[in-house]
Every structure is written in C-alpha cells, then in structure tokens.
Amino acid sequence: MSLIFSLLMLLVRGVEWYLVFHNHPIRISFSEVVFFGLFEDIHWILYFLGLLFILHVITSLLSITLAKWVTKMLLILALLVQIALIFYFLKTLLPLGKDLFAYSLDDLILTVRSSGQLNYTNLGAALIFSGIIYYIFSLATRYLKLSTKVSGVFTAITYVLVTFFFIYPFTDSDTLDDVKVNVEMNKSKYLSEQAFDYFTYKNEYYFDFYLRSIDDTSFIKKEYVDPTFPFLHTTEYPDVLSPYFDSLASPPDIVFVLIESLGKAYSGKDAYLGSFTPFLDSLETHSLVWTNAISSTGRTFGVLPGVFAGLPFGEKGFQEMYQNFPHHESLISVLDRNGYESSFFTGSDVNFDHQKEFLEYAGVSQLIDIDDFDSKYSKMPSASGFTWGYGDKETFSNGLSYFPKNNDNPQLGIFQTITSHDPYLVPEREFYSKRFEDHLENTLQLDEAKKSDYRSYQDIYMTILYADDAIKEFITSYSKKPEFANTIFVFTGDHRLPEIPMASRLDRFHVPLIIYSPLINRPSYFKGMISHFEITPSILAFLHAQVGINLPKEEIWLGQVMDTSQTFQSKIAMPLMRNKNQLMEYIDGEYFLSEDQLFVITDGLNIDPIEDQNLKNKLSGEFEDFKNKNNYIIQTKKLLP
C-alpha cells in the first residue's frame, strides 16, 4: 500500500505541475522546479509513511484486519488532502498554512462555497476516487506478495534515502523567488509543519518590552506614557493635508470607498501590469495620490482596523477579539463625538470577519448590508448556488438612497465593494468580455503573446473593470447632489489579490490611495511611502486645523502622518500581517524584513535583498518588541485606558 501511495503522490505532483504551468503564465520553467519539487515529495512521503507505520504496528497488535483498514483510510485521506491543497494553490498560487486555523468553521464553509468548489459534482468525484483507491489497496494487499528478498531491497533503499536526506538536507538557493519556492513545495508537508507550529505554540505568549521610541527617522516623536498600556502615547500629529485644500467653512462630509482586491499592480499611474481602472486614473489628475501606499494586512480582515484606527493585530487580526475588544478609539468614534453621523454600506454579509462587531463598537449609526436591499436589485452571479451578495453598482446605488442624510450633521460614509473577490463572477459578462478585449487591444496595446497571458486571468480583470465602472457611476450620481461640493472621497484597496503572480513579497500590500475632492486646489502625486495606518491621524489633524474638531489627548494609533514628499522616502515603522496568524514582515524606513531576510525598498516599492547584520538585528529587535506588546494586548486587553 505504501508503494502504491508513493506512486500516486508522485502522479498527483505531475498533474499539479501540468495545471500550474498550463493555467498560470509564471516566469519559471519546469526544469527549474522538478529536482527540488521531487525532493520535497520524497521527503514528505517517507516522513508520513514513517508516522503511519508506527500507528499501523500499534493497531495491528489489536487486529491485523483493523490495522489494514485504518491504514487504507488514512492513505486515502492523505491523497484527498493533497489534491484539495493543490486545488487551493492553483487558485491563489499560495500554499495553505496556519491561516486555515484562524477562521471559524462557518467562515471556512462560506469561503469554500463562494469558490464554487463545494458542490455535489466534486463531492461525488471525491467519493468515486476514494472507492477506486480503496479497491486498488485491497487488491494490493491480497495479490501483491513481495518476497522477503524484495522487501529487504525496498527497505534498504528507503533507509539509504532517509540517511542521505538527513546528512544532506537539500535547500533551494533561490529562496527569494516566492513563486518558485511555492511551486516546488509539497503542500501537505507545508500545512503539517504550519499546523504543528500553530498547535504547539498556540497558547504560549511571552512579552518583555520597553517603552522605547523607534521613530528615529519618523515625522513625529511619540511619547509613551504608561508601561501598562504599551501603545498609549501623546504627540502632536501635524496637519499635512491643508496646504492642498481650500479653507473649509464647515466640517466636510467624508466618504471612504474600500475596493476589494485592488492592488497598485493593475491600477493607476505606473501600474506594472497596466491599469484596469480608467475612471480612477482620470480622477488622479484632480486628486492627491500616493503611489507608494501599502495596506497593513494581506487580506480583507485588516482593512477596517487599519484604515480607521491603526490598531495592533492581536493573534488573528484585531476583529477576531470581537467577544471582548480591548477599549480603543477610531476615526469613527472621534468624529461621532464631534457631531458626525456615520454609515457603512456593503453588498455582502457584514458579519463576515466580524466586521459588524468592529463597526458597532466604533459607533456606526447605520449599517446596510446584504439584508437591506430593495427587491429591484439583483444579486451577483452564483458559483454552485452561492453568491457573496450584491454587485458594486447595486451597492453604490442602494447606498445613495440612504446617504448622505438630509440633516445638518456632517456625514461619514464607508462603502465596501465585493465583486472583485473570488470566484470573480462579473455581472454583465458578455459586455465585460468585449470590454476586456478592447482594453487589451486599444488601451494597453498588447501583442497577441501578451494578450494570452492576460487572458489567463480574464475573470479577475473583468471584475476590476466592473468595479471601476461602478465607482464612475457612483461619483457621477454623487456629483449631482448639493453635498458634493463639501465632500472628501478616499479611495483605497484592501490588499492586492494573490491569484495574479506577484512581483515581490511587498507587492501583496501595495495598493492605490487617492484623496479626491472639489475642495482640493493643488492636485499632486506623492512618492513618500505610507500605509493605511497613516490615514486616521492625518484626517483628524486636518479636521482639527480646519474646523477645530476636538481630539483625544492620548492616542494609540500605530501610524505616522501621510508623507507628501514628491521624491521617494520612507518614514514609517510598522509590522505587516500577511494572513491571519502570519505576522511575518516588518518595515522600518526604507528597509523591509521578511522571513529573516533583509531587503531595501526603492520607488515603486521594489525590493532588493541586502546583507547588513547590524541593520537586520535592529529591525528584528523592533519586530520582536512589537510582537511582545501585541501579545501583552492579547492577554491583558490593555490598549487604551
């Protein structure tokens, strides 16, 4: 059974490679990954079979028949898990790791259903496959009789392999090419290592930190005031936005548009994949635009805590502490105390990722989600009977029936889109198929070879074009309202989508950030590096200077202020959470620490590896200091008095 299992695992690996290279125009060749990939597979197969052998021997002491049955079932399960992990990898080009354990069962089922993979066809195929493999194993145990001599030869070979791997553990020297490493990786081996790490250290927290300033090169100096509240500080955040605005006579309405999966790679000036957002591009010439902006997380779970409060991550993202949030402030709560009314609009379920609890804690007065649409609106196309909800055009149209409110209070509106999310099923598909081809031909002016690469991700690009059209309709409608003249719009992506191969580890966080308003008198492009963490302190400082809103005397924002330099520089220091449970990156100034590798950041957020042990030790120390403070918050909830 082990021999057959080994052959089947290698066959599955061959199918994986065929599908990866057939469906993704990646920059590596089969010959570059085959050696280390097979090494990974053999390593995992021997390791797994070794563990299974121990279980088989113990079970056989009770019953040989039971031992054979248990072994068959576990071998079949291992094959099914490997196949499922490969399907996940084919969608995202990322292996599934400990982030699997960060989601509730309901969220996992919802995510799988949304991808269209949880259906009767796939379940039936899995059952048929299991039956066939079970039958093959049964035939093998009955008819494939190996002599003692043959068994001895196989045993000797495997011991030689195990010894060889132990003495000479191969590693690929090209570990900086994440796509190559991910293609080589055995997906079951990676998940098992991540699971072991997660469950072994799940409830172990260590914190030993100093209330030291790490903002040597930052715009502002934070004075930390209480060792029992390690993020609490006093400082004066400067107003960096007023020089680009007319003087305000009254508090402005503020509208945030959080665009699902909108990365800088395919939006805006200098997008290296070409821009698929022509309307947002046209707004840039009338806006304040940051070309080197990043999100704080690589998934949607961090966008609300990052943009509206600059909060630490906790264990699995701040919103996962929903049952007992540490006390905190946010842009929403501060504006609420200054007379603003706030509203949130999405076409999906606001309960996902516990966004509802975060927004309610912040004091949002009006929450409109999938359950609050008129019957005249149609939901997005479904995948196997499931849909995330209503498309972006419907979300904006429905939101404008509620917002802005016709009263004397200034308004804060938050619109969150959903269409450009897996499974990327665009409404009006025939129209956007033609639009996509026209965009490749006339806007990007690509040759046929390049077009083929883009067509591999046609569904994704069509949803980006659709989202851009939805924003165009939204701004066009809003501009007809009297409130438009005194409104500030903030557009940003929650993260870059991973399905289209990324240029670097930092690329996943690189997002557009645009402030658009009729009140702007000096439209500008800025190259100073900023993050979502800088948005709340900057807007509050701007409103304080312009209309005199009251600000907290002590703050917990992790961010600085938005850098308006027109040459590249970085004055930020912050951690990045790639996925839930994966706090793996840290930035200080123009240096980026990722998985114990140090990089230097340049304009366009390109990164290049460097060797500087002193600098690496400095960033590692700052990163550990943050993680210790973060662990302290998880345990004590002492964020803000």
Side-chain angles (χ1 to χ4, degrees), residues 1 5 48 52 66-80 130-131 133-134 137:
M1 285 193 294
F5 171 78
F48 175 73
L52 190 58
L66 176 63
K68 288 182 178 180
W69 184 84
V70 170
T71 300
K72 288 175 190 175
M73 299 308 293
L74 290 176
L75 290 173
I76 291 169
L77 180 62
L79 283 165
L80 289 174
S130 301
I133 301 302
Y134 188 90
F137 284 152

Side-chain angles (χ1 to χ4, degrees), residues 342-373:
S342 53
S343 304
F344 179 86
F345 305 93
T346 183
S348 59
D349 185 356
V350 74
N351 290 288
F352 190 73
D353 271 339
H354 306 294
Q355 288 188 321
K356 182 178 182 180
E357 289 88 343
F358 178 83
L359 292 165
E360 287 180 339
Y361 189 96
V364 170
S365 51
Q366 181 174 238
L367 280 172
I368 304 296
D369 74 345
I370 190 172
D371 296 324
D372 303 299
F373 279 72

Side-chain angles (χ1 to χ4, degrees), residues 477-494:
S477 297
Y478 208 108
S479 65
K480 298 173 184 176
K481 294 177 175 288
E483 297 89 351
F484 176 75
N486 195 40
T487 301
I488 297 172
F489 298 87
V490 181
F491 299 93
T492 191
D494 55 357

Side-chain angles (χ1 to χ4, degrees), residues 74-337:
L74 290 176
L75 290 173
I76 291 169
L77 180 62
L79 283 165
L80 289 174
V81 168
Q82 176 73 353
I83 292 169
L85 293 173
I86 288 170
F87 272 110
Y88 176 86
F89 181 74
L90 289 171
K91 292 280 286 185
T92 65
L93 284 182
L94 296 170
L96 185 62
K98 66 174 71 173
D99 48 314
L100 170 68
F101 310 109
Y103 292 89
S104 67
L105 181 60
D106 288 343
D107 283 353
L108 285 173
I109 292 173
L110 187 64
T111 302
V112 175
R113 285 186 64 205
S114 74
S115 69
Q117 301 302 317
L118 191 63
N119 54 56
Y120 290 116
T121 301
N122 287 347
L123 291 175
L127 287 173
I128 293 170
F129 174 82
S130 301
I132 293 172
I133 301 302
Y134 188 90
Y135 180 68
I136 291 172
F137 284 152
S138 298
L139 289 179
T141 55
R142 187 176 303 172
Y143 298 112
L144 185 60
K145 303 295 184 182
L146 301 180
S147 66
T148 304
K149 185 176 181 180
V150 174
S151 297
V153 170
F154 276 118
T155 301
I157 290 171
T158 52
Y159 271 112
V160 168
L161 286 171
V162 168
T163 305
F164 181 65
F165 290 162
F166 179 78
I167 294 173
Y168 189 62
F170 287 98
T171 55
D172 189 348
S173 59
D174 190 10
T175 57
L176 298 181
D177 189 337
D178 288 341
V179 173
K180 182 173 183 285
V181 170
N182 290 341
V183 171
E184 291 172 340
M185 184 183 295
N186 181 283
K187 310 310 179 286
S188 295
K189 178 173 178 279
Y190 179 75
L191 179 60
S192 66
E193 291 169 344
Q194 291 274 296
F196 179 82
D197 182 61
Y198 174 75
F199 288 109
T200 301
Y201 304 108
K202 180 180 179 182
N203 295 313
E204 292 188 16
Y205 297 102
Y206 170 78
F207 38 85
D208 179 15
F209 51 81
Y210 304 93
L211 292 186
R212 62 184 179 189
S213 173
I214 60 172
D215 44 27
D216 304 335
T217 59
S218 302
F219 281 113
I220 59 173
K221 307 298 180 185
K222 298 178 181 179
E223 185 68 34
Y224 294 96
V225 296
D226 187 341
T228 61
F229 292 86
F231 291 105
L232 186 67
H233 62 270
T234 60
T235 192
E236 195 162 321
Y237 289 92
D239 170 25
V240 296
L241 298 178
S242 284
Y244 303 92
F245 280 82
D246 294 328
S247 296
L248 303 185
S250 61
D253 290 347
I254 303 173
V255 176
F256 282 85
V257 179
L258 308 177
I259 307 161
E260 175 63 41
S261 301
L262 188 66
K264 186 68 181 71
Y266 37 86
S267 176
K269 180 183 178 183
D270 299 328
Y272 69 83
L273 292 174
S275 180
F276 284 80
T277 55
F279 178 72
L280 276 177
D281 298 352
S282 70
L283 282 189
E284 286 189 358
T285 58
H286 309 283
S287 305
L288 306 180
V289 182
W290 283 264
T291 59
N292 293 307
I294 57 173
S295 60
S296 58
T297 60
R299 293 286 188 186
T300 307
F301 68 88
V303 67
L304 296 183
V307 169
F308 296 104
L311 294 168
F313 302 114
E315 181 186 4
K316 306 173 185 177
F318 189 83
Q319 288 171 176
E320 289 296 323
M321 293 193 278
Y322 68 98
Q323 292 179 321
N324 184 20
F325 275 132
H327 178 56
H328 60 277
E329 291 279 19
S330 65
L331 176 67
I332 301 166
S333 62
V334 173
L335 292 185
D336 178 68
R337 289 200 303 274

Side-chain angles (χ1 to χ4, degrees), residues 5 239 341 461 488 503 517 530 607:
F5 171 78
D239 170 25
E341 289 187 88
Y461 286 125
I488 297 172
S517 176
I530 65 167
I607 59 173

Side-chain angles (χ1 to χ4, degrees), residues 38 45 109 147 190 193 195 204 225 243 283 296 308 323 333 362 369 390 397 421 436 440 452 502 577 584 605 620 634:
L38 289 176
I45 289 168
I109 292 173
S147 66
Y190 179 75
E193 291 169 344
E204 292 188 16
V225 296
L283 282 189
S296 58
F308 296 104
Q323 292 179 321
S333 62
D369 74 345
Y390 294 90
S397 177
H421 191 292
F436 170 74
L440 298 185
S452 178
M502 293 177 281
M577 183 172 259
M584 303 169 70
L605 300 193
S620 297
I634 296 171

